[in-house]
Amino acid sequence: MTITDDFMAALNTAESSGDVSGLLALHADNVTLQNLTDKEWSGTDGAREFWEAYLGNFEDIRSEFTESHEAAGMGVMEWVGTGHLKGGREISYRGVSIIEITDGKVVAFRSYYDSAAFVGPVEAQ
């Protein structure tokens, strides 16, 4: 198994249990995390904040990984996330996440996804 495989399994566990500890164990002490915002999270405290905030967006969420590859210290994962946002609205969205790996630990995480899926439909007046 690769670190990318371990990462996908740990994320699925965190999504089903709400416990991010297994996922955090894969992160280096100096990890950086980014998503579509302009904010960057760093270190183990930043990683915990990032992943707990991610899970906090949903009543339930499950990432299905459709493709993955790891080579030369980089892992790439394509996925579809399905579940329910807080408040109950269903969501299904696609994305790609990239991890950089050094000495068996994730030193950087970046995620790019369909942010439009988080915006509710405009209701006719």
Side-chain angles (χ1 to χ4, degrees):
M1 284 188 49
T2 66
I3 299 300
T4 302
D5 291 327
D6 293 343
F7 188 91
M8 292 184 295
L11 179 57
N12 283 157
T13 297
E15 289 172 337
S16 64
S17 70
D19 180 5
V20 298
S21 60
L23 187 57
L24 293 175
L26 298 173
H27 292 62
D29 290 343
N30 63 338
V31 68
T32 59
L33 302 96
Q34 295 175 297
N35 59 19
L36 293 179
T37 68
D38 60 359
K39 182 173 180 179
E40 179 176 282
W41 293 260
S42 60
T44 52
D45 288 342
R48 177 175 298 283
E49 180 185 340
F50 178 91
W51 290 113
E52 288 178 350
Y54 162 73
L55 293 176
N57 289 308
F58 306 99
E59 287 184 10
D60 61 273
I61 189 66
R62 172 76 176 168
S63 296
E64 178 184 345
F65 295 94
T66 55
E67 296 289 336
S68 65
H69 182 74
E70 183 177 311
M74 184 168 287
V76 178
M77 299 157 277
E78 288 184 275
W79 47 265
V80 176
T82 56
H84 296 87
L85 292 168
K86 290 288 184 191
R89 185 169 65 82
E90 287 187 28
I91 188 167
S92 179
Y93 69 114
R94 298 170 101 26
V96 173
S97 296
I98 299 166
I99 55 175
E100 293 180 29
I101 305 157
T102 301
D103 297 328
K105 293 284 189 174
V106 175
V107 295
F109 172 85
R110 294 181 300 279
S111 193
Y112 307 94
Y113 51 89
D114 176 14
S115 60
F118 287 84
V119 179
V122 177
E123 295 185 24
Q125 295 189 17

